[in-house]
Amino acid sequence: MGAQLRVYKRRIKSVTATKKITKAMEMIAASRVVKAQRKVAASTPYATELTRAVTAVGTGSNTKHPLTTEAESATRVAVLLLTSDRGLAGAFNSNSIKAAEQLTARLEAEGKEVDTYIVGRRGVAHYNFRERQIAQQWTGFTDQPEYADAKTVAGPLIEAIEKDTAEGGVDELHIVYTEFVSMMTQTAIDSRLLPLSLEEVAEESSAKSEILPLYDFEPSAEDVLDALLPRYVESRIYNALLQSAASKHAATRRAMKSATDNAGDLINNLSRLANAARQAEITQEISEIVGGASALADATAGSDK
């Protein structure tokens, strides 16, 4: 019984230490997700207005530009997958990777060749383990992304969209990331960044009773679109990075809270088992003492006779 009691005490000590770690990680994630939410709220209006500006330019001109003009028959596309550098976030990374794989399968079924670009060590490790080709990868900044990181990611993608497919370029650019809906809900989605769907943006504006602004192009609509292309891609990628970071912190907070609660339940169960083992040990010792005293009394009575 004594050995079993020591085992329970050792396990309680181990689980208690783990509970302290998960509780600390939960608090850290809770503080980070608030900061990430603020960044998302600050960046979203700029990305939205820039998209509306590009839509207005594209709608008001007949210029053929990779930003607004779809290829007659797209043969090669780029998919940018956003994951995290660290785990302990529940199904956050697996949901993003699953959405990217479904998008890739759909594009390949349409006869398109897919180049995969990945942000985050978890996504890179997943593709490397399965020996899948990665066009380019970036790691080390997913928890707290900056605009400079978005520019670094956007650079090769802009070069690819500006090249002909015969030279290694792409006709379309898609992005897969986790949208932050609330502290309890984060959704993995895929979106086409380029070419921009003017009809969809116009329908959204009509649904919100918004009127697209009118512009005078100086020096020309093509030059304006050339100037807006990198800013549009960078702003959308930056917003997606911030959405993904906020979603990751929220998922980590939820996972660590669940781990902390489970550790508390396990400690309670182990404490009950330890108490039962200690009571059994005490009962056994009392029984041995009573039995020994009874035997000694019987022996003494026999010698007196």
Side-chain angles (χ1 to χ4, degrees):
M1 290 294 179
Q4 188 177 15
L5 181 59
R6 286 194 296 272
V7 170
Y8 287 140
K9 288 183 176 180
R10 190 161 54 246
R11 290 188 63 188
I12 290 173
K13 184 177 180 181
S14 176
V15 175
T16 301
T18 302
K19 182 180 178 181
K20 291 180 180 179
I21 295 173
T22 56
K23 184 63 177 178
M25 294 181 68
E26 177 189 348
M27 296 176 66
I28 293 171
S31 65
R32 288 181 175 177
V33 73
V34 173
K35 296 178 182 178
Q37 278 182 280
R38 292 173 183 169
K39 288 186 175 181
V40 170
S43 69
T44 299
Y46 175 76
T48 302
E49 290 302 318
L50 188 56
T51 302
R52 294 178 71 246
V54 172
T55 303
V57 176
T59 305
S61 68
N62 296 324
T63 302
K64 289 188 177 181
H65 193 274
L67 188 59
T68 57
T69 305
E70 296 190 24
E72 294 182 0
S73 58
T75 58
R76 192 171 185 176
V77 300
V79 173
L80 174 62
L81 168 61
L82 304 187
T83 61
S84 66
D85 289 322
R86 301 178 182 179
L88 300 178
F92 168 78
N93 288 301
S94 60
N95 288 340
S96 296
I97 293 171
K98 182 179 179 180
E101 291 178 340
Q102 291 175 346
L103 173 61
T104 300
R106 186 170 73 248
L107 293 172
E108 289 179 345
E110 296 173 359
K112 301 174 182 177
E113 183 180 353
V114 178
D115 291 342
T116 304
Y117 297 77
I118 301 179
V119 174
R121 292 191 180 94
R122 291 294 171 174
V124 172
H126 177 87
Y127 275 69
N128 285 338
F129 180 76
R130 289 158 180 76
E131 298 181 350
R132 298 176 182 173
Q133 188 174 0
I134 302 175
Q136 199 158 344
Q137 62 192 45
W138 301 269
T139 59
F141 55 80
T142 58
D143 281 353
Q144 296 178 337
E146 301 293 340
Y147 194 82
D149 301 320
K151 291 185 68 175
T152 301
V153 175
L157 296 171
I158 294 172
E159 292 179 4
I161 201 70
E162 289 178 340
K163 288 182 181 178
D164 293 332
T165 53
E167 300 176 356
V170 297
D171 297 313
E172 297 177 0
L173 170 59
H174 297 256
I175 184 170
V176 179
Y177 66 99
T178 304
E179 182 183 26
F180 182 86
V181 180
S182 67
M183 291 293 292
M184 297 301 297
T185 306
Q186 301 86 42
T187 307
I189 62 174
D190 63 85
S191 174
R192 193 181 74 176
L193 291 186
L194 295 175
L196 180 64
S197 179
L198 302 179
E199 292 79 7
E200 291 182 3
V201 178
E203 289 177 1
E204 292 178 1
S205 299
S206 299
K208 298 178 182 178
S209 300
E210 296 178 348
I211 301 175
L212 292 175
L214 298 176
Y215 293 96
D216 289 330
F217 308 129
E218 184 67 32
S220 66
E222 185 175 2
D223 292 335
V224 172
L225 290 173
D226 286 338
L228 288 177
L229 173 60
R231 289 172 176 78
Y232 166 75
V233 176
E234 291 166 5
S235 66
R236 291 293 301 272
I237 291 178
Y238 180 53
N239 184 259
L241 286 170
L242 294 176
Q243 294 261 9
S244 183
S247 299
K248 190 268 178 186
H249 294 316
T252 297
R253 175 185 174 278
R254 190 167 60 252
M256 291 301 100
K257 185 180 186 306
S258 177
T260 302
D261 294 342
N262 291 338
D265 293 339
L266 183 57
I267 290 173
N268 292 335
N269 293 334
L270 291 173
S271 297
R272 282 194 289 268
L273 292 173
N275 291 335
R278 183 167 61 250
Q279 291 172 0
E281 184 178 357
I282 293 172
T283 302
Q284 182 178 357
E285 290 177 355
I286 292 174
S287 299
E288 290 174 355
I289 292 171
V290 171
S294 178
L296 181 60
D298 292 342
T300 302
S303 62
D304 289 341
K305 292 179 179 180

